Structures are given as C-alpha cells and as structure tokens.
Amino acid sequence: MMTNEEVKSRAAGIRLLALDADGTCLTTDKRCTDRTVRAVNRLAEQGCLVVPASGRGYKGLLENVFPFSEIRYVISSDGAIVTECATGRHLWDEKIPCRTAARLAKELFLEDTCVYFHREEEKGTYMRACRSKETYRKLFSGSWHRVLDDDIMTDGLDQVILRDGKDISKMGMLVLRQDGFAYYEQIIAREFPELNCFRGDVNALEFTSCRTSKGEALKALASHLGLDRTQICAIGDNDNDISMLEFAGLGVAMGNAIESAKEKADFIIGSNDDEGVAEFLETYFLNGRN
C-alpha cells in the first residue's frame, strides 16, 4: 500500500483518470454529489482526461449518470466498448457473440430468476426477462431501475436474441439461490469458457466476453492515446474494477470496496457516501497541481 507521499508523487504524473460509477462516483442512492462534480471538472480543466469506466451502457452513462462538463472517451459495459464521444467511433469492441448469448440466456432461464442484457446502440437497448412476473415484482419493488411490468418477457429470450442476430455487450442475472454465486460461477466456468463471470452487485452476476475487461479496455485506450500505465489512475470498488486497478499506475479502491479490490489497490480512500472521490482528488490532484 502506498504512503500519502508516494501517492502525491505518483499523482503529479497522472494524465488519465478512469472512474467507475456505481459505488464509486455515485452514492448509494445513485447521486453524483455537487462536490464530486466540481472536483472532477476542475481536474479536467487542468488537462487530465476523465474517462468513465462503468458496467453501464454508453448512452445511459452520458445522459443519466455523469454530469461532468468534458468527457472525451467512455469505457462502457465493463470494458466491452471504448467510445470516442466526439465521433461515436468504437476504439475497442469486444462483445459476446449472438449465439453464445442465446445459449447463455437459455441456460439461465432454467432457474426462476431475472436475466438482462444490453447493447451499445443509439437507443441504448436494454432488456429484462423473468420467468415469473411475481418474481420480477419481488425483485424490483421500489427499485431505482424498475421498468414497467408489461415490458418483462417471461419466455423465449434466447429466441429473441437469435432472431435479432446482434452480438451483446453484456449480460447479467439476479441471483436468488442462497448458494447462487458459487453455483452459477461453476456452470459458467464449465459450460462457457468464452465468457468472463463476475459479481456486479450484491445479488447480480454479470458476463462479458473473455477477451475483455475494464483493464483490457483501459489498456487499449492508453495505447491509442500514447499513454504509459504510470500516467493512469483508476478508481473503483467492485470485482469488475480489479483489472483496471491492477493495470493503472495508481489503482485506488473506495472505502466501501470489496476486500479483493482493496487487496489489489495501491491506495484506499473514503467511501462513496462520504464523497471519497472528491476528497481524494482535492487532496492529491487539485492542491498545487500545475
């Protein structure tokens, strides 16, 4: 773990900041506080590239999550896509093949759970399917990301994916079994070696192509920009952030991060509900930075 002085020294050479959203920039009630917005905008004004790196889709991130003044690049869907905002061009694109996604949807639908996926499109396509609307209502009662009950599929998600014929950025499921994480992780490791499997939330298991991760996407963006890893800082809190914390020259875990993320980080800061990102940037980047 780095000391305060080592972090200050490393921060002086940082030219790109990769920021996770949920559990990092966003509070538990999904807000980006005014203090955090001010700190991130000040950093961007001083010439540091601020790059959202989230499990969410590109369109949703820009429109509903990050209210920052200058975003030039976005890493979305847990590293499936790197987008150049000015042109909409994908600098990195590693999706789950359509047939693999359909096979996975069919396998997951054998259980009474909720399966979801999204693609990187102009409309921000996002779909949920649940075998039982009763189960769905139980899962999403009072949820911040609730959608209309009538919009939920109860069968045939695999056929919808096949008919659509498009590759999928990310898929996920909500785990209801007590042994759910271990149970499904074993299935994925055995039946779907072409996929990454990671815990995206307290009850969510998510899947991307094994050819990508937030770390791989960040590495691709760094190569495109001609940046060395020592010029990159990454901040995150969860399983899907570990690869970018390991790649970045300065990997920072939130105080509320899972233990495995903290173990891989160079430094640990305050929690998301205590504006840990803002305090970190103010302390190590914005005081006296040229």
Side-chain angles (χ1 to χ4, degrees), residues 118-162:
H118 56 83
R119 295 188 298 262
E120 299 290 346
E121 296 179 339
E122 184 178 350
K123 294 181 180 179
T125 304
Y126 189 96
M127 183 176 291
R128 288 197 186 95
C130 202
R131 283 180 59 188
S132 149
K133 290 192 175 183
E134 180 181 348
T135 298
Y136 167 76
R137 286 190 288 269
K138 180 175 66 175
L139 286 169
F140 292 101
S141 176
S143 170
W144 63 272
H145 54 342
R146 185 175 65 251
V147 294
L148 295 176
D149 189 73
D150 289 343
D151 293 338
I152 299 302
M153 293 182 59
T154 55
D155 196 14
L157 178 62
D158 57 322
Q159 295 303 310
V160 170
I161 293 173
L162 287 174

Side-chain angles (χ1 to χ4, degrees), residues 24-287:
T24 300
C25 274
L26 302 185
T27 58
T28 301
D29 59 357
K30 308 301 178 184
R31 294 182 302 108
C32 192
T33 68
D34 291 343
R35 181 186 177 191
T36 299
V37 172
R38 285 194 302 270
V40 171
N41 284 342
R42 282 179 60 198
L43 187 66
E45 289 167 3
Q46 294 180 11
C48 184
L49 278 172
V50 177
V51 178
S54 174
R56 300 198 190 204
Y58 170 76
K59 185 178 177 66
L61 274 172
L62 290 186
E63 291 187 356
N64 306 316
V65 179
F66 282 117
F68 306 137
S69 59
E70 184 178 350
I71 299 294
R72 292 171 54 188
Y73 303 95
V74 170
I75 296 171
S76 56
S77 295
D78 284 315
I81 308 290
V82 178
T83 304
E84 183 180 56
C85 299
T87 63
R89 181 166 63 107
H90 288 178
L91 305 178
W92 174 261
D93 191 325
E94 289 288 354
K95 298 175 182 175
I96 301 172
C98 171
R99 290 188 177 277
T100 300
R103 188 163 58 91
L104 177 62
K106 187 174 183 178
E107 177 73 33
L108 297 180
F109 232 54
L110 296 176
E111 304 286 336
D112 187 16
T113 187
C114 180
V115 181
Y116 57 89
F117 72 87
H118 56 83
R119 295 188 298 262
E120 299 290 346
E121 296 179 339
E122 184 178 350
K123 294 181 180 179
T125 304
Y126 189 96
M127 183 176 291
R128 288 197 186 95
C130 202
R131 283 180 59 188
S132 149
K133 290 192 175 183
E134 180 181 348
T135 298
Y136 167 76
R137 286 190 288 269
K138 180 175 66 175
L139 286 169
F140 292 101
S141 176
S143 170
W144 63 272
H145 54 342
R146 185 175 65 251
V147 294
L148 295 176
D149 189 73
D150 289 343
D151 293 338
I152 299 302
M153 293 182 59
T154 55
D155 196 14
L157 178 62
D158 57 322
Q159 295 303 310
V160 170
I161 293 173
L162 287 174
R163 283 197 301 270
D164 201 33
K166 297 179 181 178
D167 296 341
I168 304 295
S169 300
K170 185 177 79 167
M171 294 183 67
M173 65 176 296
L174 299 184
V175 176
L176 302 180
R177 300 170 56 113
Q178 285 191 338
D179 63 343
F181 281 125
Y183 174 78
Y184 287 111
E185 284 166 348
Q186 290 175 6
I187 291 176
I188 298 304
R190 183 177 66 248
E191 303 293 339
F192 296 88
E194 64 269 58
L195 298 180
N196 286 329
C197 173
F198 49 87
R199 303 179 186 191
D201 207 339
V202 291
N203 68 334
L205 198 61
E206 299 190 319
F207 317 97
T208 59
S209 165
C210 67
R211 297 186 300 274
T212 195
S213 65
K214 287 188 182 183
E216 288 297 321
L218 186 56
K219 184 188 299 185
L221 178 59
S223 177
H224 173 77
L225 297 172
L227 295 177
D228 185 85
R229 60 186 296 270
T230 60
Q231 297 174 293
I232 296 173
C233 174
I235 308 179
D237 73 300
N238 215 335
D239 196 20
N240 56 343
D241 298 312
I242 290 175
S243 61
M244 73 173 183
L245 299 186
E246 291 182 307
F247 172 73
L250 178 56
V252 178
M254 303 298 294
N256 54 285
I258 62 174
E259 286 305 311
S260 54
K262 290 180 178 179
E263 290 170 1
K264 297 297 184 181
D266 299 306
F267 198 63
I268 298 172
I269 61 176
S271 75
N272 60 327
D273 288 330
D274 291 327
E275 300 180 304
V277 169
E279 182 178 4
F280 174 68
L281 295 182
E282 291 164 357
T283 302
Y284 297 98
F285 285 81
L286 299 175
N287 293 332

